[in-house]
Amino acid sequence: MTQSASSPYPIRPIEENELDGFINVDEHAFNTSPWSESDRQVAVERFEYDRTLAAFDDSTPVGVTMCYSFQLTVPGQEVLPAAGVTFVAVLPTHRRRGVLSSLMRRQLADVRDRGEPLAILWASEAVIYGRYGYGRASWQLGFTLRRGEGGLSRAAAGLAATAGSDLRLRITEPEAALPELAKVYEAVLASRPGMFGRNDAWWRIMIYDPADQRQGASPLRCLLAEDASGPRGYALYSARDTWADSLPENVLTVHELMAADPAAGVALGTDLFSRDLTTEFRLYRRPVDDPLLYHLADPRRTRPQLIDALWVRIVDLPRALTGRRYACPVDVVIEVRDEILPANAGRWRLTTTAEAPGGGLAASCVPAPATSAADLALDVTELGAAYLGGTRLGALAGSGLVAELRPGAVRQLSAALAWDPAPWCPSVF
């Protein structure tokens, strides 16, 4: 797709020799420091130049965005191609001129033309992306525990004593453990909506740990949980060595904890939350149904903090809705509004069919006959929010964002879209 020559800020992908200008926009918009050579190396390794977009004022980039090509897990152990939107930025001197709107609309058209049914992103500001059809589709928790607050419930202690009796824990260097980490991640990926597959470049960024960015913390470390059959869980963590009046005030931060089964999760948590000389334990970007909330004797001690995580934009509505599975039968006519991608707009009949191999029900989604009355009406933003099963459609209806036109239709579709486990994206991109 080409940009009109009459546009004051023509948009096109950048060439490799224009990377510095692209990065410069991001640095000014987000108030970040210039990249080091190692920062540049790990970032450029994941760059997809043909998926970059920049708006130009003469020869200077003034607005930028980019996509990563992901394979995203959706409800029912299904996987769909998805565009991972990132590097969305406009120079402070060029705000309020329509640069961002032009970039986002062009990007969505490009995603559609590539045949990807979904676009996903992490929102730097929550007020921005709803206007482009993105909905808050998953949520995350942050935990803070103090020393002595990681005690297990009776049920979790029993689990640790039985199912986990053959587990052993091993501290190792993250880079050396990459094959084991990947095996655990793949085991979790299959069943958890919202996660995307990681290639070698993504694994390298996961363990990227330059000394000048540690802010006084230790190097990144790895704790593996394994048995005779192989790895069952891991934790990537670091700790900060701080003392006051000859007493330790060390903080241990868990950057990623992944467990293929409950026993491995219990074993990792028991070890980490009982570390000596540590007064505080922090875990970020945890799923809202984190087993930790049920493993601890006193889950209030996690001090959970809820925040939005992955946002979803439905680009190809029938492909997206037939690409996931449903928790219970449903047969509804949905009237969808979509001002940016009009092919999504109109009335669609969503009907569940047979039981699918990965669990849940498969569905068909076809244009409804002109004579069919709509059962509910909503914007594509709300449909994107509910798509992964982490935001209830019923809650959106209760907020006045979904109109129920047939009694009971919202409840039926809300129940069908809901999913266990909750969606979770452990990686910010």
Side-chain angles (χ1 to χ4, degrees):
M1 177 176 291
T2 59
Q3 184 76 1
S4 169
S6 63
S7 170
Y9 305 109
I11 296 172
R12 62 170 173 81
I14 66 166
E15 303 292 337
E16 290 190 31
N17 62 3
E18 296 174 309
L19 179 60
D20 287 342
F22 185 97
I23 296 171
N24 181 66
V25 177
D26 184 76
E27 289 175 355
H28 281 283
F30 284 91
N31 302 306
T32 59
S33 299
W35 288 1
S36 67
E37 189 55 40
S38 60
D39 292 340
R40 188 186 186 95
Q41 183 176 348
V42 296
V44 170
E45 187 180 20
R46 296 171 295 138
F47 250 64
E48 299 181 40
Y49 282 95
D50 62 325
R51 307 209 68 176
T52 62
L53 288 174
F56 287 84
D57 187 349
D58 195 8
S59 61
T60 302
V62 296
V64 298
T65 185
M66 190 181 80
C67 292
Y68 296 119
S69 301
F70 287 148
Q71 294 294 314
L72 183 75
T73 303
V74 299
Q77 300 190 28
E78 298 295 316
V79 176
L80 290 178
V85 176
T86 187
F87 280 99
V88 182
V90 175
L91 278 182
T93 53
H94 286 70
R95 292 172 300 159
R96 314 294 187 263
R97 301 188 190 183
V99 175
L100 178 62
S101 291
S102 296
L103 283 167
M104 299 304 290
R105 289 171 178 269
R106 164 67 184 272
Q107 185 178 63
L108 284 171
D110 288 354
V111 172
R112 177 201 60 204
D113 292 347
R114 282 176 175 265
E116 293 167 319
L118 302 168
I120 58 175
L121 57 78
W122 290 79
S124 56
E125 294 184 87
V127 300
I128 295 175
Y129 293 101
R131 72 187 76 159
Y132 306 114
Y134 288 87
R136 289 176 290 185
S138 76
W139 304 80
Q140 63 180 4
L141 291 174
F143 299 142
T144 301
L145 291 90
R146 309 269 161 73
R147 182 168 180 80
E149 296 179 346
L152 296 177
S153 67
R154 181 175 298 180
L159 177 67
T162 54
S165 59
D166 57 344
L167 273 172
R168 61 180 180 274
L169 299 179
R170 175 167 60 93
I171 295 175
T172 184
E173 293 300 316
E175 186 171 5
L178 280 178
E180 287 83 2
L181 305 189
K183 288 180 182 178
V184 175
Y185 185 86
E186 288 295 322
V188 178
L189 171 69
S191 61
R192 179 72 77 164
M195 294 176 66
F196 59 86
R198 291 176 180 169
N199 58 20
D200 290 345
W202 279 99
W203 276 112
R204 279 189 283 275
I205 195 65
M206 284 304 302
I207 63 168
Y208 180 57
D209 182 40
D212 61 353
Q213 295 181 22
R214 292 175 187 157
Q215 299 181 326
S218 71
L220 188 69
R221 290 169 175 148
C222 178
L223 179 66
L224 274 177
E226 55 192 359
D227 61 16
S229 64
R232 289 167 52 184
Y234 67 84
L236 296 171
Y237 67 98
S238 62
R240 190 174 68 243
D241 181 26
T242 305
W243 293 71
D245 299 324
S246 299
L247 296 173
E249 294 184 353
N250 297 343
V251 176
L252 188 150
T253 300
V254 178
H255 301 279
E256 182 165 284
L257 189 153
M258 202 71 59
D261 57 76
V266 168
L268 291 166
T270 300
D271 179 274
L272 292 169
F273 304 145
S274 62
R275 291 288 178 93
D276 294 335
L277 306 179
T278 306
T279 58
E280 189 168 283
F281 307 87
R282 299 173 183 172
L283 296 87
Y284 300 125
R285 294 194 299 274
R286 301 301 302 163
V288 294
D289 57 354
D290 195 328
L292 179 66
L293 294 167
Y294 306 94
H295 288 162
L296 293 181
D298 188 355
R300 290 183 184 177
R301 300 293 181 175
T302 59
R303 301 168 181 83
Q305 293 184 312
L306 181 70
I307 191 170
D308 58 278
L310 206 62
W311 292 57
V312 168
R313 209 301 179 184
I314 293 178
V315 177
D316 182 336
L317 186 145
R319 188 176 173 200
L321 292 185
T322 57
R324 58 153 289 169
R325 300 297 172 248
Y326 295 83
C328 61
V330 68
D331 186 353
V332 293
V333 174
I334 311 168
E335 186 168 329
V336 179
R337 299 182 298 275
D338 192 337
E339 296 179 357
I340 297 177
L341 297 176
N344 289 332
R347 294 180 181 176
W348 299 89
R349 184 177 180 185
L350 178 69
T351 308
T352 49
T353 55
E355 184 80 20
L361 298 171
S364 66
C365 181
V366 297
T371 56
S372 297
D375 296 317
L376 64 160
L378 74 172
D379 192 86
V380 72
T381 303
E382 279 62 63
L383 198 56
Y387 180 76
L388 292 177
T391 299
R392 293 300 296 260
L393 195 71
L396 297 173
S399 301
L401 299 175
V402 177
E404 183 173 66
L405 306 176
R406 173 176 63 79
V410 166
R411 183 179 67 253
Q412 293 167 16
L413 184 55
S414 182
L417 287 167
W419 198 260
D420 287 309
W424 177 41
C425 185
S427 308
V428 177
F429 52 86

